[in-house]
């Protein structure tokens, strides 16, 4: 698909946009604007490598490929397909997820050894993804309805300014009481997220860097999650992005799970 | 490893020709002539971009320039009449450029962290809306380095967000090829893929075998090697697949256990809602953990483990069609695969050797009989349901006592024609999975009815940590009063599965199948973990406890063993 030249840059925040003053309404409005800017990519594919690092500096690598289908929430919710590439003993294992707003995802796991598709529980949101510092809920589609938002303030982030939004999970089984998200005021991209556990202590920090513009969508190529208590970290590095390839529901079925290598 | 091939249908981002990278020890000159006159340098910015460093020099007008690189120093010489302010406004975020300084006249000197090559340079005209001035863009790359984890981890002040908008606009103004829409070389799911493993497996039996075979009894230690590479090629965005997976095991004690199989040799193609598959394949049907009674398409590889989860490849043709009311599939199979059993020197094994030369088939065409199967599956919210029917040669043999050519007692496998209807049901409710399978098997003699129902409950984050504990229980039932070939006719399965969710994927499983009639217990204890990035160690224990004489597992009563398996994945 081609993008007409007039659409090459992100639609700038309307100069006359005025967010409401009340913190909750302002927080929701900012979060809504950030969400709005991420809509319309239709589908995407990416190749991801993760580097897990413990406090002693030892590293371990994970590799995966992911395909996402954007589905309006009224029609069900985003669908995603993940295939694991590394470590090699789990290579070929694949996970199909249907997002369901606040409810846990519907998930199916493909085990290549047995050729078995097993429906699993999507309620393990706070568990570590592939042994990394990212929990499943950290990687799930960040749908607006999942959180309540409050505007906290504004501060400099690098050369830009960022809105600070506090958000609280509205879904069950979250490992967090709240999160603070820094969104830059120019493009509403997340720069940083602080995660507070259920005892309201700072647990992890996520930093997004290496943003690149694809048509009108900003995508970070690097996401580093650092566990403030253990000193462990995971760098999630995306090497390839591909959009609007024309995928349909049929490409996100249990049949697809069994074909993927 | 995975090689991604450029798709023939790739949308190519047409790019203007890129100057090739320049060598650095010799002073080189790169110059571009443009058409305009005096300009002023407004500022300079450098940031990391796409694996290299991008330097952008803001100019009030277009200008000519020459880039010289000598001995690790890079200098940008602008046209003589360009005004370079003494206090140059620079913004250096990250990357190999540490500073941009004004140097005598209209030259900018770049201070570098390490020797760099100039990848390309070009002038970007001012944007029409006036947001950006004329810009001279210079891309520099360092000598190839491994990923600097520390550098990535230091970016925790969001310094990288420095107006990336300018530095990522595609420098080509080409509109026909679309914008910067991402990688155009094809799906990340396409291409060649090689998977698989090689393994060494040892078994240690705690007791001497009950089954004497001249000239000596089967040994108490066995050693075997196996390899299963898997080659596949995927195309059309993951909708078409060609796969070949051979398997070979070599057993140092038991010649009968040494075997070769083609697990997969197939083509699978998806066309919207229709999927076609042709070739040797493995299809699994089932939802329970301890036994898989509905699963019928593939023959058990009886020479592998005793848990019935290893299968022989089955030649078949299949069609599958997805609709809003479920997926409908039909299969036709031929070239029936016989089940093989451990030989006289193998353990565990039955009391009599199997004589495959006398194998009987109820079907006149023997192994070439065409077996048919159909299945409907659907998802109702949290419920997954499937109903299947199979008509053809039973995969389970009836073992008949007979004599071999020299008059020794042997067991002769007989494969009858059957009709088997199966149902699978799973309900997924948060951390609880409810599962059930049932079959009705119409066969010569007594019709068989069997069922299995149970649950799997997982405690996530045990004790506030990151490990999970799964609790499993299933009840197995079979109506056959003489369960010669099925020892699980009124049995209870219980197990605990602990997964550490650590970097090494450490897993422990402890379970038992208890025969509620005979009080026999089959106990399994399994542990596994990954070693490094490519190795995996598994230790499995199988114990046959309190086996009374009327239990079909009686012949295995002294075959308790520990199996140690070391696998190398590639």
């Amino acid at each position: 698909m081609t993008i007409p030249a007039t659409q090459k840059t992100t639609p700038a925040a309307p100069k006359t946009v005025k967010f409401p003053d009340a913190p909750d309404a302002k927080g929701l409005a900012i979060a809504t604007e950030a969400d709005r800017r991420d809509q319309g990519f239709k589908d995407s594919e990416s190749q991801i490598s993760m580097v897990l690092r413990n406090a002693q500096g030892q590293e371990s690598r994970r590799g995966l490929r992911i395909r996402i289908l954007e589905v309006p929430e009224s029609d069900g919710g985003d669908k995603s397909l993940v295939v694991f590439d590394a470590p090699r003993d789990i290579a070929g294992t694949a996970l199909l997820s249907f997002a369901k707003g606040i409810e846990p995802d519907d998930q199916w796991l493909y085990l290549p050894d047995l050729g078995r598709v097993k429906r699993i529980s999507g309620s393990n949101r706070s568990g570590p993804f592939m042994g990394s510092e990212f929990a499943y809920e950290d990687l799930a589609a960040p749908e607006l309805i999942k959180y309540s938002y409050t505007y906290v303030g504004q501060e400099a982030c690098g050369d830009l300014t960022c809105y600070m939004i506090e958000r609280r999970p509205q879904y069950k089984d979250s490992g967090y009481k709240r999160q603070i998200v820094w969104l830059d005021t120019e493009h509403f991209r997340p720069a940083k997220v602080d995660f507070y556990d259920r005892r309201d202590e700072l647990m992890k920090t996520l930093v997004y860097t290496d943003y690149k513009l694809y048509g009108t969508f900003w995508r970070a190529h690097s996401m580093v999650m650092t566990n403030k208590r253990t000193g462990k970290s995971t760098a999630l590095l995306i090497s390839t992005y591909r959009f609007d390839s024309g995928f349909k529901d049929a490409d996100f079925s249990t049949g697809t799970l069994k074909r993927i290598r | 490893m995975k090689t991604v091939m450029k798709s023939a249908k790739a949308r190519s981002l047409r790019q203007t020709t890129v100057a090739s990278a320049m060598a650095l020890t010799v002073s080189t000159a790169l110059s571009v002539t443009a058409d305009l006159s005096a300009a002023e340098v407004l500022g300079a910015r450098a940031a990391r971009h796409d694996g290299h460093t991008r330097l952008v020099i803001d100019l009030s007008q277009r200008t000519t320039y020459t880039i010289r690189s000598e001995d690790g120093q890079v200098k940008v010489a602008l046209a003589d009449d360009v005004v370079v302010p003494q206090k140059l406004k620079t913004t250096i975020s990250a990357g190999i450029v540490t500073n941009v300084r004004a140097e005598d006249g209209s030259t900018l000197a770049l201070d570098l962290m390490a020797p760099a090559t100039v990848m390309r340079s070009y002038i970007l005209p001012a944007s029409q809306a006036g947001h950006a001035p004329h810009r001279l863009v210079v891309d520099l790359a360092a000598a190839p380095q491994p990923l600097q984890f520390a550098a990535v981890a230091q970016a925790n002040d969001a310094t990288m967000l420095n107006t990336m908008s300018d530095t990522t606009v595609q420098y080509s103004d080409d509109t026909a090829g679309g914008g910067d829409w991402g990688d155009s070389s094809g799906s990340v799911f396409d291409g060649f893929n090689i998977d698989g493993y090689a393994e060494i497996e040892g078994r240690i039996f705690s007791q001497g075998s009950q089954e004497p075979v001249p000239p000596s009894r089967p040994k108490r230690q066995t050693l075997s090697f196996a390899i299963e590479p898997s080659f596949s090629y995927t195309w059309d965005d993951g909708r078409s697949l060609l796969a070949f997976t051979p398997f070979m095991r070599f057993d140092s004690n038991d010649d009968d256990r040494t075997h070769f199989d083609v697990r997969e040799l197939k083509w699978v193609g998806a066309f919207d809602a229709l999927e076609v598959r042709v070739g040797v394949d493995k299809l699994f049907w089932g939802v329970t953990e301890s036994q898989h009674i509905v699963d019928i398409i593939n023959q058990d590889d009886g020479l592998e483990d005793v848990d019935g989860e290893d299968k022989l490849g089955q030649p078949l043709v299949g069609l599958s069609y997805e609709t809003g009311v479920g997926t409908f599939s039909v299969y036709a199979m031929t070239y029936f695969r016989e089940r093989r059993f451990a030989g006289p020197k193998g353990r565990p094994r039955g009391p009599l050797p199997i004589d495959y030369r006398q194998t009987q088939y109820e079907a006149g065409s023997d192994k070439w009989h065409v077996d048919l199967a159909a299945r409907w599956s659907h998802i109702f919210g949290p419920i997954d349901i499937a109903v299947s029917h199979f008509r053809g040669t039973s995969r389970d043999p009836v073992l008949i006592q007979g004599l071999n050519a020299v008059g020794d007692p042997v067991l002769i496998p007989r494969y009858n024609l059957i009709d088997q209807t199966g149902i699978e049901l799973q309900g997924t409710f948060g951390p609880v999975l409810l599962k059930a399978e049932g079959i009705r098997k119409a066969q010569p003699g007594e019709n068989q009815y069997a069922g299995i129902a149970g649950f799997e409950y997982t405690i996530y984050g045990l004790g506030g940590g990151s490990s999970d504990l799964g609790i499993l229980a299933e009840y197995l039932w079979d109506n056959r009063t003489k369960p010669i070939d099925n020892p699980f006719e009124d049995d209870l399965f219980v197990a605990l599965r602990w997964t550490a969710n650590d970097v090494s994927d450490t897993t422990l499983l402890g379970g038992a199948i208890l025969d509620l009639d005979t009080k026999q217990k089959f106990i399994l204890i399994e542990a596994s973990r990954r070693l490094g990035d490519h190795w995996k160690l598994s230790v499995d224990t199988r114990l046959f406890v309190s086996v009374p004489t009327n239990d079909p597992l009686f012949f295995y009563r002294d075959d308790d063993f520990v199996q140690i398996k070391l696998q190398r994945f590639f």
Side-chain angles (χ1 to χ4, degrees), chain B residues 7 25 39 42 69 103 172 204 309 315 368 394 397 408 427 539 543:
Chain B
S7 160
T25 49
L42 303 172
S69 42
E103 224 182 57
S172 143
I204 303 164
E309 290 196 334
W368 294 103
S394 170
D408 293 328
V539 179
L543 307 172

mmCIF file of all heavy atoms in Angstrom, chain B residues 7 25 39 42 69 103 172 204 309 315 368 394 397 408 427 539 543:
data_model
loop_
_atom_site.group_PDB
_atom_site.id
_atom_site.type_symbol
_atom_site.label_atom_id
_atom_site.label_comp_id
_atom_site.label_asym_id
_atom_site.label_seq_id
_atom_site.Cartn_x
_atom_site.Cartn_y
_atom_site.Cartn_z
ATOM 1 N N SER B 7 10.843 -11.620 -0.323
ATOM 2 C CA SER B 7 9.668 -12.119 -1.004
ATOM 3 C C SER B 7 9.618 -11.571 -2.423
ATOM 4 O O SER B 7 9.971 -10.427 -2.669
ATOM 5 C CB SER B 7 8.424 -11.695 -0.228
ATOM 6 O OG SER B 7 7.317 -11.744 -1.058
ATOM 7 N N THR B 25 41.278 5.322 6.528
ATOM 8 C CA THR B 25 42.654 5.703 6.834
ATOM 9 C C THR B 25 43.193 6.707 5.831
ATOM 10 O O THR B 25 44.050 7.506 6.148
ATOM 11 C CB THR B 25 43.566 4.468 6.833
ATOM 12 O OG1 THR B 25 43.312 3.737 5.640
ATOM 13 C CG2 THR B 25 43.247 3.579 8.028
ATOM 14 N N ALA B 39 25.087 30.985 2.943
ATOM 15 C CA ALA B 39 24.159 30.394 3.900
ATOM 16 C C ALA B 39 24.732 30.570 5.283
ATOM 17 O O ALA B 39 25.891 30.965 5.461
ATOM 18 C CB ALA B 39 23.969 28.922 3.582
ATOM 19 N N LEU B 42 22.720 27.170 11.267
ATOM 20 C CA LEU B 42 21.816 27.502 12.362
ATOM 21 C C LEU B 42 22.071 26.629 13.593
ATOM 22 O O LEU B 42 21.807 27.031 14.716
ATOM 23 C CB LEU B 42 20.350 27.322 11.920
ATOM 24 C CG LEU B 42 19.947 28.153 10.689
ATOM 25 C CD1 LEU B 42 18.563 27.743 10.221
ATOM 26 C CD2 LEU B 42 19.994 29.629 11.029
ATOM 27 N N SER B 69 37.501 12.869 5.573
ATOM 28 C CA SER B 69 37.746 12.029 6.743
ATOM 29 C C SER B 69 39.189 11.593 6.707
ATOM 30 O O SER B 69 39.671 11.067 5.715
ATOM 31 C CB SER B 69 36.819 10.822 6.731
ATOM 32 O OG SER B 69 36.712 10.289 5.439
ATOM 33 N N GLU B 103 35.419 25.321 12.992
ATOM 34 C CA GLU B 103 36.867 25.358 12.771
ATOM 35 C C GLU B 103 37.146 26.314 11.651
ATOM 36 O O GLU B 103 36.403 26.386 10.684
ATOM 37 C CB GLU B 103 37.363 23.957 12.396
ATOM 38 C CG GLU B 103 38.634 23.562 13.112
ATOM 39 C CD GLU B 103 39.108 22.186 12.680
ATOM 40 O OE1 GLU B 103 39.329 22.005 11.458
ATOM 41 O OE2 GLU B 103 39.234 21.308 13.548
ATOM 42 N N SER B 172 14.483 10.177 0.467
ATOM 43 C CA SER B 172 13.984 10.188 -0.898
ATOM 44 C C SER B 172 12.606 10.815 -0.916
ATOM 45 O O SER B 172 11.780 10.532 -0.076
ATOM 46 C CB SER B 172 13.915 8.748 -1.401
ATOM 47 O OG SER B 172 12.793 8.581 -2.221
ATOM 48 N N ILE B 204 18.268 -46.418 33.513
ATOM 49 C CA ILE B 204 18.827 -47.274 34.553
ATOM 50 C C ILE B 204 17.661 -47.954 35.241
ATOM 51 O O ILE B 204 16.760 -47.293 35.760
ATOM 52 C CB ILE B 204 19.626 -46.450 35.575
ATOM 53 C CG1 ILE B 204 20.735 -45.664 34.873
ATOM 54 C CG2 ILE B 204 20.221 -47.353 36.651
ATOM 55 C CD1 ILE B 204 21.316 -44.566 35.714
ATOM 56 N N GLU B 309 3.099 -40.510 23.881
ATOM 57 C CA GLU B 309 3.028 -39.189 23.267
ATOM 58 C C GLU B 309 3.922 -39.043 22.048
ATOM 59 O O GLU B 309 3.900 -38.024 21.385
ATOM 60 C CB GLU B 309 3.367 -38.115 24.312
ATOM 61 C CG GLU B 309 2.246 -38.006 25.335
ATOM 62 C CD GLU B 309 2.306 -36.741 26.157
ATOM 63 O OE1 GLU B 309 3.423 -36.208 26.305
ATOM 64 O OE2 GLU B 309 1.251 -36.299 26.630
ATOM 65 N N PRO B 315 0.763 -40.942 6.465
ATOM 66 C CA PRO B 315 0.435 -40.346 5.165
ATOM 67 C C PRO B 315 -1.061 -40.053 5.095
ATOM 68 O O PRO B 315 -1.882 -40.912 5.424
ATOM 69 C CB PRO B 315 0.814 -41.445 4.161
ATOM 70 C CG PRO B 315 1.721 -42.367 4.897
ATOM 71 C CD PRO B 315 1.301 -42.302 6.328
ATOM 72 N N TRP B 368 -2.810 -50.864 3.007
ATOM 73 C CA TRP B 368 -3.191 -49.886 1.997
ATOM 74 C C TRP B 368 -4.663 -49.508 2.076
ATOM 75 O O TRP B 368 -5.144 -48.719 1.279
ATOM 76 C CB TRP B 368 -2.867 -50.394 0.588
ATOM 77 C CG TRP B 368 -1.395 -50.505 0.408
ATOM 78 C CD1 TRP B 368 -0.652 -51.641 0.424
ATOM 79 C CD2 TRP B 368 -0.477 -49.422 0.233
ATOM 80 N NE1 TRP B 368 0.679 -51.355 0.259
ATOM 81 C CE2 TRP B 368 0.821 -49.979 0.146
ATOM 82 C CE3 TRP B 368 -0.606 -48.026 0.143
ATOM 83 C CZ2 TRP B 368 1.948 -49.213 -0.035
ATOM 84 C CZ3 TRP B 368 0.527 -47.253 -0.042
ATOM 85 C CH2 TRP B 368 1.791 -47.862 -0.123
ATOM 86 N N SER B 394 -8.013 -49.961 13.094
ATOM 87 C CA SER B 394 -7.686 -49.501 14.444
ATOM 88 C C SER B 394 -6.190 -49.354 14.609
ATOM 89 O O SER B 394 -5.412 -50.190 14.146
ATOM 90 C CB SER B 394 -8.203 -50.515 15.472
ATOM 91 O OG SER B 394 -7.694 -50.198 16.739
ATOM 92 N N PRO B 397 -3.465 -52.540 18.274
ATOM 93 C CA PRO B 397 -3.568 -53.946 17.877
ATOM 94 C C PRO B 397 -4.155 -54.784 19.005
ATOM 95 O O PRO B 397 -4.037 -54.434 20.177
ATOM 96 C CB PRO B 397 -2.118 -54.344 17.626
ATOM 97 C CG PRO B 397 -1.330 -53.465 18.548
ATOM 98 C CD PRO B 397 -2.102 -52.179 18.690
ATOM 99 N N ASP B 408 7.953 -71.429 18.837
ATOM 100 C CA ASP B 408 8.002 -70.705 20.099
ATOM 101 C C ASP B 408 6.743 -69.867 20.254
ATOM 102 O O ASP B 408 6.211 -69.339 19.286
ATOM 103 C CB ASP B 408 9.219 -69.771 20.138
ATOM 104 C CG ASP B 408 10.518 -70.545 20.170
ATOM 105 O OD1 ASP B 408 10.543 -71.664 20.743
ATOM 106 O OD2 ASP B 408 11.505 -70.040 19.616
ATOM 107 N N GLY B 427 -13.225 -26.433 29.231
ATOM 108 C CA GLY B 427 -13.720 -25.135 29.699
ATOM 109 C C GLY B 427 -12.572 -24.418 30.377
ATOM 110 O O GLY B 427 -11.892 -24.995 31.222
ATOM 111 N N VAL B 539 15.269 -35.524 33.480
ATOM 112 C CA VAL B 539 15.387 -36.757 34.255
ATOM 113 C C VAL B 539 13.971 -37.224 34.553
ATOM 114 O O VAL B 539 13.186 -36.494 35.147
ATOM 115 C CB VAL B 539 16.151 -36.520 35.574
ATOM 116 C CG1 VAL B 539 16.248 -37.808 36.367
ATOM 117 C CG2 VAL B 539 17.533 -35.956 35.293
ATOM 118 N N LEU B 543 7.846 -45.561 37.934
ATOM 119 C CA LEU B 543 7.806 -46.649 38.915
ATOM 120 C C LEU B 543 6.500 -47.398 38.787
ATOM 121 O O LEU B 543 5.432 -46.808 38.731
ATOM 122 C CB LEU B 543 7.913 -46.076 40.332
ATOM 123 C CG LEU B 543 9.095 -45.147 40.619
ATOM 124 C CD1 LEU B 543 8.934 -44.511 41.992
ATOM 125 C CD2 LEU B 543 10.399 -45.920 40.556
#
